[in-house]
Amino acid sequence: MNRLMKLMTTAAILAAASAMTPAFAANTAITVGMVLEPPNLDPTSGAAAAIREVTYANIFQGLTRFDANGAIIPDLAKSWDISPDGLTYTFHLAKGVKFHDGSDFSADDVKFSLDRARAPDSTNAQKGLFADIASVDVADPLTVKVTLKKPNGSFLFNMAWGDAVILSPKSIATEATKPVGTGPFKFVNWVKGDHVELAKFDGYWGAPAKLDKVTFKFISDPSAAFAAVMAGDVDAFPMFPAAETLEQFKSDPRFQVIVGNTEGKTILAMNNGKKPFDNIKVREAVAHAINRKEIIDGAMFGYGTPIGTHFSPQNPDYVDLTGQSNYDPEKSKALLKEAGYPNGFTVSLKLPPPPYARKGGEIIAAELAKVGIKAEISNVEWAQWLEQVFKGKDYDMTIIAHVEPMDLDIYSRDNYYFNYKSDAYKKIMAELSSATEPAKRSELLKQAQKQIADDYVNAFLFQLPKTGVANAKIVGLWKNQPTPANDMSEVYWKD
Amino acid sequence: MVPFLLKRLISLALSLLAASVVIFLVLQVVPGDPASYMLGMNAQPETVEALRQQMGLNEPLVWRYLTWIAGLAHGDFGISYTYKVPTAELISQRLWVSLPLAVYALVLSTLIALPVGIIAAAKRNTAADYGIMGVTQFGIAVPNFWFAMLLVLLFSITLRWFSAGGFPGWSAGFLPAMKALTLPAIALALPQASILARVTRSSLLDTLSEDYIRTARAKGLTRSQTLVRHAVRNAMIPVLTIIGLQFSFLLAGAIIIENVFYLPGLGRLVFQGITQRDLIVVQSVVMLLVFAVIVITFLVDIAYAVVDPRLRSRS
Amino acid sequence: MQEISLTDDRRSLVGEAFRSKSFSLGFLLTGAFIVAAVLSLVWTPYDATAISVAEKLRGPSAAHWLGTDHFGRDILSMIMVGARTSIAVAFVSVGIGIAAGVPLGLWAAARQGSLVDEIIMRANDLVFAFPALLIAILITAVFGPGAVNAIIAIGIFNIPVFARLARGAALTLWTREYIFAARVAGKGAVRISAEHILPNIMNLLIVQGTIQFSLGILADAALSYVGLGAQPPVPSWGRMLADAQTMISLAPHMALFPGAAIVLTVLGLNLMGDGLRDIFDPKLRRSR
């Protein structure tokens, strides 16, 4: 057990101890607003973030988990040993864990869940997380040994994802509608189209939740969301859709406004494999034509951190490269002229449904028009976007937030929709995956960020904010969103 | 009568068959794959393939059509791709919102339209008549989703009498559920009431000009007595026809209003089904709606034929 | 009797039309929006697509008569350009309905009781049985959103309307003596339909066309409200309302003006339709 681990455990115990003091909390129920309703509640077979926003850390738990700041901490595995060659992980599981249906949790469930996720017929949306697993073996009911095909520096990080939670084989058939997990809350009911209700699980193995009842209410309309929070129908709205009304909440003592970051790197992606964007000068011209401040003000009501590369600003290794692609329409025009497009050109701009894309797209099209680039907007649905842009690479430009944390490797993938091909970058990524020393890793991460900024692969816009509003008396909500989740285990009402 | 009925039945069956083929084919060419939609950007191709296999999307086209139709025939609508529950269950849940909403709107619209239409007819060519006709002209011209937004602005945001959307479920009690349906029902009812009031008025005026009404007047009944005893009853046939038509429209046509108020009804189910490429839900719901309209039309035809034998020979 | 005095009829028709209060008021309203639409081709107060985030969500003022939207665009200019889109979509879709529906209806009437008649009318019923808006949404899901696909989606549902109307009206004409005379004279069904029937059902088509035009405006608004009409940056009334919905508590003017534009245009067209019907159909006028 490493030192970091010990420290974390101590911290967790301290946190649990201090939480015991407010013993007589008046209110033990909370209604949490969410914009999108989950299609079902099985996080191991579908990518919808809403599934995790209901279930992660509430109903389901994994071997490890993300904490509020994105650090990896123990969950069902209370500790682990890693073999010197980095190939074998021995997980020591927590004792006395029960599933919500009353059955006991054991190493067999871990083996079942991991094997299911990596099976040939697996429908896990993040199957890649399990790709390096060679075998999962049960040593005894509380010990699982996972053997990897090759060392993987991010294996514990992978196991913290919502897609890697541990399920019970007994309830697998009904997981989508009646999820059964090991978490502090159990599923109660789901009124489709309106809300999902969870209740405190009395047989929970860890520190019991402070709330007795959690209701997730689905309200996608911004004005309805505003009205619901104002009226107190919703106690907390962690991803509040009406950012324009936050000022009003800030000045109201009944509410607290919580502004943090998600992992969503919002970019204007360009098809590097297609004219005119196969020319780096054109891509640089696009980057200089874009005014990030105007986009953040106009499409995001001022919330959002500008980024100059594909990396989260809250990460300690982040390099601020926004200056390299500053707003400079004159330079942009000059670059277009150099590239052989003195009169600009016409391209398509495909926009998926989220407001950041639709609203941001309108502003970007207007900005590009000023340097002579005519961007023809076409709004597409997600299904079309995935098929045409992502899979078919049939696009010129698109706007999208990449929400997976630490996903620099996508720029090294062959056949990825950017069509970016750089041997230099691939070399950095190859070194990174085998590097274990923190200083070296940090250096490589910085190099990678610079490389894609230098190549102007995409126009990097801003980090998607997490703008939430909640009753002022609620304590313990996450500020940032390192992974899609509404962890309610530590939340309580102060009186 | 029997050959006529037989002919109409065959035509009904052919219509339904044609409708099912059209719906199925249209949905096959909709771009976008349900499996990739569900699995998102990071999914591996083999995973998508596994999910397609699981959903039965890799079966041949004709086979999928036949299984769907065979299922429909005995009430099995298939399993929703995204919700992973039987489609029939989803539909019946949603019907419990859409059906009460349609009835609520229809009742409101009828309660407003009939008296208003009768008054306008009784006071023909007076200020009241012109006023009513003017208002109904506006009512017809107002897009119901815009009217809905204005209702939200006034009653939810300014006055805070109603919530701006959502549906607590019937489990929350009758009154809260009805309260949640009130603004949507009003938004739906306004244009319908305007149309209905105009139909009532002109139908009454037509009836009033018939001979037997003149006879009744001649017999010494007052104008309002004639109106109530004879005209209103006789003028009801076209009015009832319109009400019938409006009901099927309200059931299927509430899609936008359901979206404005975030009501979990049939329309919203289809709308979400389309964006999520939950094609099995979309095709079943659309088929159900088409089925309803075709059968209602059929029944109306039969009813007319029973009433008026001339129609039988003509068709 | 039917062909002789058409020109005279027309002239007196115009005079009579404007004696109808409904028609005149409707003409004025619709005309105003058509003028705005045409004017927008050459001039708008501001560039309707020019974004100026600093001036967003301003209420009506001397500089911006109808205020600005969430990107600081001038709402008056957007409504003017939006009128162009709406009117064009509705107009062309009515054109599609007439161009395809009327010949079908006439054909069915000429072959009354035949298989052709049966197929055309059953196909009509079938289209009617589909929930229109849903199918429009499906069509745009297949072909992608955009003004052209909105036109197709709305146009398809106009076809059976005109086919039914044309068939019904033509059927009564086919029993007339002068048609019989024309048949005796050896004229074919196509010629009779074109020379004798079509001119006589023109009035009906015009009235129905006006009504379908107004329904087309509403349908286009609904489609673009759900994001399936003309694509940005081209303004459309429906999308302006969709944008306004999320800001309704902050900037109600964003919702009021485009909605009012839709109402007034549709109202104008309906009034025109009513006026025309009164003129063409004296029986109905009696009951006014």
Side-chain angles (χ1 to χ4, degrees), chain A residues 107-310:
Chain A
D108 292 323
D109 299 312
V110 177
K111 178 172 168 56
F112 166 78
S113 299
L114 296 184
D115 284 348
R116 176 172 171 267
R118 62 197 189 91
D121 64 346
S122 152
T123 54
N124 194 299
Q126 309 288 349
K127 200 177 169 187
L129 297 175
F130 312 92
D132 284 343
I133 299 180
S135 68
V136 183
D137 301 295
V138 175
D140 64 61
L142 290 179
T143 315
V144 180
K145 217 169 82 190
V146 179
T147 313
L148 302 185
K149 292 171 191 156
K150 59 179 199 296
N152 181 335
S154 45
F155 182 66
L156 292 172
F157 168 86
N158 290 356
M159 290 302 105
W161 283 54
D163 307 78
V165 294
I166 307 303
L167 309 172
S168 161
K170 275 178 233 141
S171 55
I172 206 76
T174 54
E175 220 66 81
T177 46
K178 292 185 192 66
V180 171
T182 55
F185 294 96
K186 62 174 190 243
F187 172 80
V188 178
N189 80 358
W190 181 0
V191 175
K192 295 263 163 58
D194 199 67
H195 68 264
V196 167
E197 216 177 291
L198 311 182
K200 182 162 141 180
F201 174 48
D202 291 328
Y204 183 55
W205 59 278
K210 299 173 187 88
L211 296 168
D212 288 330
K213 193 177 147 194
V214 177
T215 308
F216 290 100
K217 196 166 168 57
F218 313 116
I219 307 175
S220 26
D221 177 51
S223 46
F226 174 79
V229 176
M230 269 295 171
D233 294 341
V234 164
D235 301 312
F237 217 125
M239 300 277 269
F240 191 60
E244 62 272 28
T245 57
L246 286 177
E247 286 304 315
Q248 210 170 325
F249 286 112
K250 275 184 188 162
S251 57
D252 191 329
R254 293 179 297 155
F255 300 103
Q256 53 178 324
V257 171
I258 308 164
V259 178
N261 274 313
T262 69
E263 287 294 318
K265 296 146 290 256
T266 314
I267 59 172
L268 171 69
M270 291 177 269
N271 194 339
N272 285 223
K274 203 174 154 195
K275 263 188 181 316
F277 297 121
D278 54 349
N279 185 339
I280 183 173
K281 288 216 170 85
V282 174
R283 300 198 300 263
E284 190 180 352
V286 168
H288 287 299
I290 283 167
N291 182 350
R292 293 190 184 89
K293 188 178 180 315
E294 189 176 52
I295 298 168
I296 292 171
D297 283 349
M300 308 300 297
F301 295 93
Y303 297 96
T305 315
I307 52 171
T309 183
H310 195 104

Side-chain angles (χ1 to χ4, degrees), chain A residues 25-42:
Chain A
N27 199 343
T28 56
I30 190 172
T31 303
V32 179
M34 280 172 57
V35 172
L36 293 178
E37 177 174 22
N40 59 69
L41 291 173
D42 179 2

